[in-house]
Amino acid sequence: MRILRTIAEMHAQSDAWRREGKTIGFVPTMGAFHDGHISLMRQAGERCDVVVTSLFVNPTQFNEASDLAAYPRDEATDSKMAADAGVDVMFAPTAGEMYPQGFATTIAVGGLEDVLEGAVRGPQHFRGVATVVNKLFNIVAPHEAFFGQKDAQQVAVIKRMVADLAMPVDMVVCDIVRETDGLAMSSRNVRLKGDDRRRALALWRGLAAAKDVVDDGERDASVVAKAGTDAMLSHGITPEYFAVVDRGSLAPLARVAGDVLIAVAARVGPVRLIDNIVLRVS
Ligand code: AMP
């Protein structure tokens, strides 16, 4: 596996691959790899001739300086894991390479950026995400890009951007990879110490409780959200939000019907966690 740090090198590599007729699969990440990232890389390898992952802790999408400072970074371990997962190139630019003096452009995906995570973190979070993903697509020139359902709102924002701007990239959304007890894998989980690791299960318990009442026939979204919230409270965690929304538009639902996203966020000790499930309800 090669590690490339400049846009010029990455452009040259992608141009060469495209001239050879190879399909490029791309997995954008912020590093601190776990099995969730690895599953995306492996799926990219199954579908595409070559795989690129990017490792870039994007400063513009952090709304708390402390979260950016505490974000785990271990490029040596990441590069070994990516190589083992069959990645051909890891693109790991500096912040200066991505945001040189005078950088002034922002992508805003209206309507999707100020709800759920955007309501808590501010619209600049998804503007940061959309802008950096747009730039990474231009640098890597992938045929297919792989994103985790773990970040459901990110998926909705990027899908909208790709469609609106006619970007020639196919989006592949990959299932959430969980620990054996149900906790969604996250780079931030390493910061869960002592009892916080047990309390973090509240998110999964809340989602499971919400799914249970839907499976039992409940269609009133507020009742479903209350069941999930109550399950989290009984686990000692108060959700920042427990939302029942349409999967694509992220609009709140009064009735549970169609492609339903149940999304939750909560602070557990020093860490802010998110999780979700998708239900297809007829
Ligand atoms: P991140 O490094 O956190 O920006 O994540 C990079 C990609 O991995 C994103 O598309 C995430 O949605 C995805 N990802 C993170 N955690 C998981 C997980 N537990 N299961 C599946 N995909 C994940």
Side-chain angles (χ1 to χ4, degrees):
M1 186 187 77
R2 297 174 67 204
I3 300 178
L4 302 181
R5 301 206 184 268
T6 68
I7 293 168
E9 288 171 305
M10 190 68 242
H11 269 158
Q13 176 64 83
S14 289
D15 281 353
W17 279 330
R18 280 183 168 257
R19 275 197 304 274
E20 292 165 22
K22 293 195 163 141
T23 55
I24 303 170
F26 178 42
V27 182
T29 82
M30 298 203 302
F33 293 156
H34 50 66
D35 283 351
H37 298 107
I38 300 305
S39 79
L40 268 54
M41 295 170 196
R42 290 204 188 283
Q43 287 177 67
E46 281 162 19
R47 292 176 57 107
C48 299
D49 296 326
V50 291
V51 178
V52 178
T53 191
S54 59
L55 193 171
F56 181 59
V57 182
N58 177 32
T60 66
Q61 71 190 68
F62 283 81
N63 50 311
E64 290 176 13
S66 58
D67 190 28
L68 175 60
Y71 203 81
R73 292 170 173 84
D74 183 356
E75 187 186 301
T77 305
D78 284 348
S79 60
K80 192 175 175 321
M81 289 172 75
D84 289 347
V87 170
D88 296 279
V89 163
M90 188 161 92
F91 177 59
T94 61
E97 179 75 1
M98 291 297 281
Y99 300 112
Q101 199 71 32
F103 187 96
T105 300
T106 301
I107 302 273
V109 183
L112 297 177
E113 62 183 17
D114 43 17
V115 297
L116 302 176
E117 285 299 283
V120 179
R121 305 181 67 166
Q124 72 279 1
H125 168 66
F126 285 110
R127 290 180 195 165
V129 170
T131 305
V132 80
V133 169
N134 188 347
K135 183 156 187 169
L136 288 167
F137 282 179
N138 289 332
I139 295 167
V140 176
H143 296 84
E144 298 190 6
F146 296 77
F147 288 86
Q149 176 59 26
K150 163 84 179 358
D151 297 279
Q153 189 169 4
Q154 173 170 279
V155 165
V157 166
I158 302 297
K159 272 189 171 173
R160 187 77 255 161
M161 175 184 78
V162 164
D164 287 354
L165 300 182
M167 295 180 168
V169 180
D170 285 335
M171 293 274 295
V172 182
V173 181
C174 305
D175 290 344
I176 300 176
V177 178
R178 300 180 178 280
E179 304 286 356
T180 44
D181 63 2
L183 177 67
M185 289 193 183
S186 164
S187 303
R188 292 183 172 88
N189 289 355
V190 294
R191 295 173 58 209
L192 292 169
K193 303 293 181 209
D195 199 40
D196 285 344
R197 172 62 183 79
R198 184 192 61 78
R199 294 186 333 132
L201 257 192
L203 284 84
W204 176 237
R205 293 262 196 275
L207 293 170
K211 179 176 185 309
D212 279 350
V213 296
V214 173
D215 287 348
D216 286 347
E218 183 60 59
R219 293 292 177 268
D220 182 330
S222 63
V223 175
V224 173
K226 183 168 186 319
T229 303
D230 287 349
M232 291 183 66
L233 292 173
S234 70
H235 226 76
I237 295 293
T238 306
E240 276 181 354
Y241 60 78
F242 195 103
V244 181
V245 302
D246 177 80
R247 185 185 190 178
S249 71
L250 306 181
L253 295 174
R255 305 284 303 165
V256 178
D259 264 1
V260 178
L261 173 71
I262 305 184
V264 61
R267 283 192 183 272
V268 180
V271 191
R272 192 168 173 280
L273 298 174
I274 58 172
D275 199 352
N276 68 83
I277 53 171
V278 173
L279 304 178
R280 278 175 201 89
V281 184
S282 50

